[in-house]
Amino acid sequence: GSLLPAPHVPSFAELLTRAEEQNAQLTAQKQKVEREQMNLRLAWSVLVPDPEVSIAKKDIVGVSGPVVGLSFSMPLWDRNEGAIAAARGQVEEAEAILRATRLQLHQALLTAYRNWETATQQVEAFTQGLVAQAEEAAALAQRSYEEGAEDLLSVFDAQRSLLSVRRDYTQALFDRDMAWVTVERTAGIATE
């Protein structure tokens, strides 16, 4: 394939949004926070009275008929404080890990994106002048040699410099594409 066409590049803010939506580690940690919040609600639910309604048919002193009973249990001494405090601690820990994971994602994505920008600027430096200047210098050395103003060694030196610039340009193109792959991998997304 060709290294010349650059991929379509979304803005950093768009990449960050997409990464937060699609990053597997972040998604797993969000699910863990939700699970711990459910556990906390469950620990609190023990304190809520649990009503029970019962219906029965009974004979009471010669009168028979339906009897409706309502009962509920209410914890007076066991306030479940230990389980609630433990569940609250688990929620806080899961939320802290989520914040740390999100921060690590942002930092890694920013670093990868800045590396991609730097690699893109290097490619632009080559396309905006370095390659053309090296080609022009090689052509000028060749003409000077043909006219007898320069020796063959200067022609070889100019051609060597041209090949070196082209090699560096190709390496810069490769580095730019690899930097973009790193951005995609860090974000946990696949772009076009």
Side-chain angles (χ1 to χ4, degrees):
S2 174
L3 293 173
L4 291 177
H8 169 69
V9 181
S11 68
F12 180 74
E14 183 181 337
L15 273 175
L16 193 56
T17 302
R18 289 168 67 181
E20 286 193 10
E21 292 170 357
Q22 298 177 12
N23 186 276
Q25 289 178 330
L26 207 54
T27 303
Q29 193 59 39
K30 286 177 186 177
Q31 291 172 349
K32 185 173 182 182
V33 167
E34 290 173 8
R35 188 170 51 250
E36 295 301 336
Q37 288 172 343
M38 286 180 171
N39 287 338
L40 178 61
R41 282 194 290 275
L42 182 63
W44 274 104
S45 71
V46 171
L47 298 177
V48 176
D50 189 17
E52 184 179 313
V53 177
S54 62
I55 300 177
K57 182 175 182 185
K58 295 212 175 188
D59 289 325
I60 303 177
V61 189
V63 179
S64 70
V67 176
V68 177
L70 176 65
S71 66
F72 58 92
S73 62
M74 192 166 171
L76 295 176
W77 288 279
D78 182 14
R79 302 303 296 166
N80 204 21
E81 293 172 355
I84 291 172
R88 188 176 293 128
Q90 292 293 330
V91 168
E92 290 172 0
E93 179 184 358
E95 288 174 344
I97 292 172
L98 176 63
R99 285 190 302 274
T101 303
R102 184 174 282 131
L103 183 62
Q104 288 172 348
L105 174 66
H106 289 197
Q107 182 181 9
L109 187 59
L110 181 62
T111 300
Y113 194 79
R114 293 293 182 229
N115 289 342
W116 176 82
E117 285 180 331
T118 301
T120 300
Q121 290 171 356
Q122 288 176 346
V123 167
E124 289 174 3
F126 279 105
T127 57
Q128 292 177 356
L130 290 176
V131 174
Q133 290 172 358
E135 289 172 347
E136 185 178 320
L140 183 62
Q142 180 69 31
R143 270 188 303 222
S144 295
Y145 173 72
E146 290 171 357
E147 293 173 0
E150 293 286 334
D151 60 348
L152 188 58
L153 188 58
S154 62
V155 173
F156 288 152
D157 188 45
Q159 288 177 349
R160 181 193 52 78
S161 295
L162 175 60
L163 289 174
S164 176
V165 167
R166 285 182 179 165
R167 182 196 68 228
D168 292 345
Y169 174 54
T170 304
Q171 185 65 45
L173 289 170
F174 179 76
D175 291 344
R176 179 197 63 192
D177 289 351
M178 289 307 296
W180 182 247
V181 168
T182 303
V183 168
E184 288 179 333
R185 187 180 315 124
T186 303
I189 60 172
T191 59
E192 297 81 37

